[in-house]
Amino acid sequence: MDLEAAHYDTLRKRDSWRSVLLLAYQSLGVVYGDLSISPLYVFKNAFADDIEHSEGNEEIYGVLSFVFWTLTVIPLLKYVFIVLQADDNGEGGTFALYSLICRHARIGFLPSGQVIDEELSAYKKGDGEVGPTSGSSRGSWIRALLEKSRVLQKVLLIFALLGTCMVIGDGVLTPAVSVFSAVSGLELYISKEQHRYVEVPVACLILVCLFALQHYGTHRVGFLFAPIVATWLMCISIIGVYNIARWDPHVLRALSPYYMYQFLKKTRRGGWMSLGGILLCITGSEAMYADLGHFSQTSIKIAFSFLVYPALVLAYMGQAAYLSQHHDIEKTSYKIGFYVSVPEQVRWPVFVIAVLAAVVGSQAVITGTFSIIKQCSALECFPRVKIVHTSSSVHGQIYIPEINWILMLLCLSVTIGFHDTKRLGNASGLAVITVMLVTTCLMAIVISLCWHKNPIFSITFLLFFGSIEAFYFSASLIKFLEGAWVPIALSLIFLLVMYVWHYGTLKKYEFDVQNKVSIRWLLNLGPSLGIVRVRGIGLIHTELVSGIPAIFSHFVTNLPAFHQVLVFLCVKSVPVPYVQPEERFLVGRIGPKEYRLYRVIVRYGYRDIQKDDLEFEKELVSSIAEFIRSGINNSDSSTNHLNDDPEKTTEKLAVIGTPFGLSEEYCEAVPDNESPGPSSNGNAVGINGLVPKRKRVRFLLPKSPELDSAAREELRDLEEAREAGMSFILGHSYTRAKSGSGFIKRVAINFGYEFLRRNSRGPAYAANIPHASTLEVGMVYHV
């Protein structure tokens, strides 16, 4: 099943109530796994060292009051009622907000952006407006400020990358703290001296199994995720109601904000520091927004408001009710926890369910980390990595081998190094609250710039939610030496990698633009380009959207022959989540028809799936054939084109639709005993690393009586070239800082960017191209 077709089919099925309720149920296992298991460690971390459980119960009631209102204000009020509305064509997350801001203000962070990209349907806003200059003037001052200030643009990019890096850091810390907290139930059955020798190995074993099974994908066991989390929520709800009824029905009064004031008044600095443990009750809240693309706003709101939120409130109230009547519990960090409040008769079943729920919550975070790294890579903010789609029918289920093993090593390191929930919780809490602060700041810009609301609403949103999150952030940051340094260190490392890669990519593109070959020079060579034209299609990969790349001049001056059909191919990303198939290809002609020179720009969104090489070849050739058949001619004569400004050729590109099934109009299956050409003999790595049997195809000349003789001849040449085979010409660049560059730039380019470039992968469509069909040309970039 085509993943791209499956994605758009899923979008069409979200409207009915039956589908909404089903999505709400399925979201339990994907969105709420991390948030649902927070009762395992919130009270344990809150009472770790900073405060003590006294006879007056002011501490326990104060912690409960803080937990209740934090759950109400941040996940319910902020995310469910406000942030979820700021979707980018159905997608959410840090990059979705950043993408919205970039499109409404001309601050494109992708160097290959074009004006024609703004005509994409995904650029349309909720009110039907298109383009960054449309809409109310309320956000014009923000737009003008961002457009004029290069410094603010860089600050905004770094800010978005910081939030993204913290999400990746959370992908390291959440599995560690979740699994370790789940297995901490063994403390109640073994001695204090022995439990540390059991907990860490058991937690590490579960983590190794979790990461080792990632390449199989979640689609094989994904159907169990929602039932596991639903069972877990039901268990903690029932236990909560039982503890409230049996131990302290008056615990309901702790929901009053008055107890927060009493708590801080009595505990003072200790109470403030304990907020670093209390904020763990909202870990996983960001997933509601980040995973918006897999579900819908309504389904996520229903699941949280009517199931997750009530279950968590009952669970925390039940724990508080039990602890309020058990002051004789030893005041150690592992005795005041979740399992001590579970009735002894059901502890083992609850322990098993808790471990399973922790695995599900960890899986959701790991999958989310893969997803956000894919987005960063698509937007040239992260080195290209191998992306494996683990499901042939479910969109968004991916596996990145290199990142998976890095996450596993980091996760095992922090688990073994800290080996207690206190420091793991401190580290996780800082990562979580930083991501929320970034979301709040970006959301404040979106309210004025994209929603065209009065700036008062933006300022109110920023001050209200920002002050609460800053309060928690300060409580987490004060524990820098007690574990909070980990997410800071991880985020700085990933931020350095991202920024160096993005900076090097921009400089490399600027070098290409400055050294590109003039189209006028190329056309002066004549239709033969001054060389022998042989049968076949030459596909020249370039990052440029206009002009001729410098590497092509090497071929023209040093090789005696070249292909009869030349295609300058640019595969680029645009700042939208998805590009409709009928809008994906931009096709244009360079020079008169007899030159047989074409430019093809293929546009992908940051969540799009790039096809494998065979499928890509079919759609590429079909789009050129459709362009020829449509009769669009952006170059009437050689004289006219010689007078054109080469930089304006992108304005003459035509959008050629490739809807599902278009390529079949130009292709037919080839029997196994026939050879379709050299470009179809390679191996493609498919799902789970298997090598699928390649379906061989032959190009067909469309039988249309409306075609004139020139177009039919051009199509015939394309058919003959395709049958002869397709060769891929890729640049193999070496980047060096130009003479006179500063020390930091030399280090960043000569060592940082070059190291990342050597260890990154090439274009996705070229990953499975046979070596016999590939030609690489080396070139040194002095940037």
Side-chain angles (χ1 to χ4, degrees):
M1 184 176 183
D2 187 359
L3 279 172
E4 192 170 47
H7 166 69
Y8 292 109
D9 185 58
T10 301
L11 293 179
R12 290 191 291 269
K13 294 180 179 179
R14 290 183 175 179
D15 298 330
S16 66
W17 273 106
R18 182 178 179 182
S19 299
V20 168
L21 293 177
L22 179 61
L23 286 173
Y25 172 72
Q26 293 174 341
S27 70
L28 294 177
V30 177
V31 178
Y32 297 110
D34 186 17
L35 182 61
S36 298
I37 59 176
S38 56
L40 286 172
Y41 44 77
V42 170
F43 277 97
K44 191 171 187 178
N45 278 65
F47 286 92
D49 286 326
D50 305 313
I51 55 177
E52 294 183 353
H53 181 31
S54 64
E55 294 286 342
N57 288 329
E58 291 90 351
E59 295 84 3
I60 200 68
Y61 286 169
V63 170
L64 176 60
S65 186
F66 265 105
V67 167
F68 172 76
W69 286 107
T70 303
L71 272 174
T72 303
V73 172
I74 304 298
L76 186 62
L77 183 58
K78 175 186 169 183
Y79 281 96
V80 171
F81 289 106
I82 301 177
V83 176
L84 285 180
Q85 312 298 323
D87 65 297
D88 182 11
N89 293 277
E91 295 295 325
T94 303
F95 263 105
L97 290 174
Y98 184 62
S99 173
L100 284 173
I101 295 171
C102 288
R103 295 208 306 271
H104 281 75
R106 292 186 182 275
I107 55 171
F109 58 100
L110 294 173
S112 56
Q114 298 169 278
V115 176
I116 196 174
D117 294 337
E118 296 177 10
E119 298 176 9
L120 290 168
S121 58
Y123 264 76
K124 294 181 179 179
K125 315 305 184 297
D127 52 4
E129 298 170 349
V130 181
T133 58
S134 54
S136 171
S137 61
R138 286 176 175 171
S140 60
W141 64 277
I142 300 180
R143 182 184 303 117
L145 188 63
L146 290 173
E147 290 175 359
K148 294 178 181 178
S149 176
R150 300 281 296 178
V151 175
L152 284 180
Q153 293 178 21
K154 290 184 179 180
V155 169
L156 188 64
L157 173 62
I158 293 175
F159 202 59
L161 291 179
L162 176 62
T164 303
C165 293
M166 282 295 182
V167 172
I168 299 174
D170 195 33
V172 173
L173 298 168
T174 293
V177 68
S178 299
V179 172
F180 196 87
S181 299
V183 300
S184 65
L186 297 173
E187 298 170 335
L188 301 177
Y189 297 96
I190 56 180
S191 65
K192 183 178 179 180
E193 291 75 19
Q194 294 176 338
H195 84 269
R196 59 180 176 179
Y197 298 110
V198 176
E199 280 184 318
V200 174
V202 171
C204 290
L205 178 63
I206 294 174
L207 290 171
V208 169
C209 293
L210 176 64
F211 284 99
L213 296 176
Q214 288 299 311
H215 71 281
Y216 290 107
T218 59
H219 65 287
R220 299 181 185 274
V221 293
F223 67 95
L224 293 174
F225 285 2
I228 288 173
V229 176
T231 304
W232 167 251
L233 291 173
M234 183 177 65
C235 285
I236 61 177
S237 301
I238 294 174
I239 293 172
V241 171
Y242 169 80
N243 284 332
I244 293 171
R246 178 174 180 183
W247 300 110
D248 188 8
H250 300 292
V251 76
L252 293 171
R253 62 189 177 184
L255 302 183
S256 169
Y258 171 76
Y259 284 89
M260 291 191 292
Y261 168 75
Q262 285 291 97
F263 172 76
L264 293 177
K265 182 180 178 181
K266 179 178 180 180
T267 57
R268 298 184 181 276
R269 187 175 186 274
W272 170 60
M273 295 183 65
S274 71
L275 295 179
I278 294 173
L279 73 86
L280 294 176
C281 69
I282 54 176
T283 55
S285 300
E286 185 73 19
M288 286 192 288
Y289 185 49
D291 293 329
L292 183 59
H294 298 292
F295 302 95
S296 65
Q297 290 185 19
T298 307
S299 62
I300 290 178
K301 290 178 180 179
I302 289 175
F304 182 79
S305 302
F306 296 100
L307 184 57
V308 179
Y309 177 73
L312 291 176
V313 171
L314 288 174
Y316 289 119
M317 290 175 62
Q319 288 188 59
Y322 179 88
L323 294 174
S324 67
Q325 302 301 315
H326 291 79
H327 303 98
D328 56 338
I329 295 178
E330 294 181 37
K331 298 177 178 59
T332 58
S333 62
Y334 76 92
K335 283 297 183 180
I336 296 183
F338 170 77
Y339 288 106
V340 73
S341 64
V342 178
E344 191 172 354
Q345 298 83 350
V346 295
R347 260 180 203 163
W348 278 112
V350 171
F351 172 79
V352 173
I353 297 173
V355 172
L356 293 175
V359 170
V360 171
S362 302
Q363 174 62 58
V365 174
I366 295 170
T367 302
T369 303
F370 291 158
S371 179
I372 201 164
I373 287 178
K374 175 183 178 294
Q375 295 177 31
C376 293
S377 180
L379 295 175
E380 298 295 349
C381 291
F382 198 86
R384 286 186 291 265
V385 291
K386 180 181 181 180
I387 297 175
V388 180
H389 296 276
T390 59
S391 174
S392 60
S393 59
V394 181
H395 183 272
Q397 291 192 0
I398 60 175
Y399 166 67
I400 305 178
E402 299 95 331
I403 300 300
N404 181 69
W405 302 123
I406 291 174
L407 289 178
M408 187 189 76
L409 292 176
L410 292 174
C411 191
L412 291 176
S413 298
V414 297
T415 302
I416 297 172
F418 287 158
H419 59 264
D420 67 64
T421 56
K422 174 191 171 184
R423 286 181 288 181
L424 287 172
N426 293 339
S428 180
L430 184 62
V432 168
I433 202 63
T434 304
V435 175
M436 291 183 176
L437 266 173
V438 170
T439 300
T440 298
C441 296
L442 294 179
M443 189 65 202
I445 299 175
V446 168
I447 290 175
S448 284
L449 182 63
C450 306
W451 291 358
H452 313 302
K453 300 294 183 182
N454 193 300
I456 294 177
F457 290 102
S458 295
I459 296 172
T460 303
F461 179 88
L462 181 63
L463 291 179
F464 181 71
F465 293 107
S467 59
I468 295 174
E469 290 162 356
F471 191 50
Y472 279 114
F473 179 80
S474 64
S476 295
L477 194 60
I478 199 68
K479 297 184 178 181
F480 180 84
L481 298 178
E482 299 176 30
W485 61 270
V486 172
I488 296 177
L490 291 175
S491 63
L492 287 179
I493 293 173
F494 281 108
L495 181 62
L496 183 63
V497 169
M498 289 182 176
Y499 194 78
V500 166
W501 179 262
H502 184 69
Y503 176 77
T505 302
L506 288 179
K507 291 299 179 183
K508 185 171 175 287
Y509 185 84
E510 291 174 1
F511 180 90
D512 277 331
V513 171
Q514 294 168 2
N515 293 273
K516 64 184 179 182
V517 179
S518 169
I519 294 178
R520 184 178 292 105
W521 169 84
L522 180 67
L523 298 179
N524 284 333
L525 297 176
S528 66
L529 302 181
I531 55 178
V532 178
R533 303 290 289 271
V534 298
R535 294 182 63 196
I537 297 178
L539 201 65
I540 304 170
H541 176 77
T542 175
E543 302 293 337
L544 297 175
V545 294
S546 65
I548 306 300
I551 61 170
F552 181 70
S553 64
H554 293 281
F555 292 104
V556 175
T557 56
N558 295 294
L559 293 182
F562 214 77
H563 303 83
Q564 68 185 99
V565 175
L566 292 180
V567 179
F568 294 97
L569 174 67
C570 173
V571 180
K572 71 172 189 176
S573 295
V574 289
V576 294
Y578 301 102
V579 175
Q580 297 286 345
E582 58 270 20
E583 300 175 322
R584 189 173 308 286
F585 284 84
L586 292 175
V587 184
R589 185 182 287 110
I590 301 176
K593 291 183 178 180
E594 57 267 22
Y595 281 67
R596 301 296 190 257
L597 297 177
Y598 305 95
R599 183 186 308 283
V600 179
I601 298 175
V602 190
R603 301 179 291 184
Y604 287 99
Y606 56 80
R607 292 193 67 109
D608 266 327
I609 298 169
Q610 297 192 21
K611 301 290 183 66
D612 61 20
D613 59 316
L614 180 59
E615 189 70 21
F616 184 81
E617 288 178 29
K618 288 170 56 180
E619 292 191 356
L620 177 66
V621 176
S622 299
S623 66
I624 298 175
E626 181 65 19
F627 170 78
I628 297 172
R629 190 176 72 165
S630 65
I632 301 173
N633 188 359
N634 57 15
S635 180
D636 296 331
S637 68
S638 177
T639 303
N640 290 340
H641 207 286
L642 287 174
N643 295 326
D644 283 342
D645 183 355
E647 300 304 321
K648 297 181 179 179
T649 56
T650 55
E651 299 174 6
K652 300 178 181 180
L653 296 170
V655 178
I656 301 297
T658 57
F660 311 122
L662 175 62
S663 56
E664 281 73 10
E665 182 178 352
Y666 296 96
C667 302
E668 70 172 358
V670 176
D672 290 338
N673 58 357
E674 295 187 27
S675 175
S679 65
S680 297
N681 296 330
N683 293 327
V685 180
I687 299 170
N688 298 333
L690 299 179
V691 180
K693 185 178 180 180
R694 294 170 62 92
K695 180 182 177 181
R696 300 191 290 178
V697 295
R698 174 192 288 133
F699 184 75
L700 293 177
L701 186 66
K703 300 177 180 180
S704 174
E706 301 176 359
L707 289 176
D708 57 29
S709 58
R712 186 170 293 277
E713 182 182 356
E714 192 173 4
L715 280 171
R716 187 177 294 109
D717 287 346
L718 182 64
E719 176 187 12
E720 292 176 357
R722 176 65 185 92
E723 291 299 317
M726 183 180 293
S727 297
F728 294 79
I729 294 87
L730 305 174
H732 191 82
S733 61
Y734 299 88
T735 310
R736 294 288 183 270
K738 60 185 177 182
S739 59
S741 300
F743 175 76
I744 296 179
K745 181 178 179 180
R746 292 201 306 271
V747 172
I749 297 296
N750 296 349
F751 299 99
Y753 181 75
E754 263 302 289
F755 173 79
L756 296 174
R757 185 200 59 79
R758 289 196 303 268
N759 291 278
S760 66
R761 295 180 178 265
Y765 73 88
N768 304 315
I769 297 173
H771 292 293
S773 302
T774 305
L775 181 63
E776 291 191 5
V777 55
M779 186 170 180
V780 179
Y781 285 72
H782 293 283
V783 299

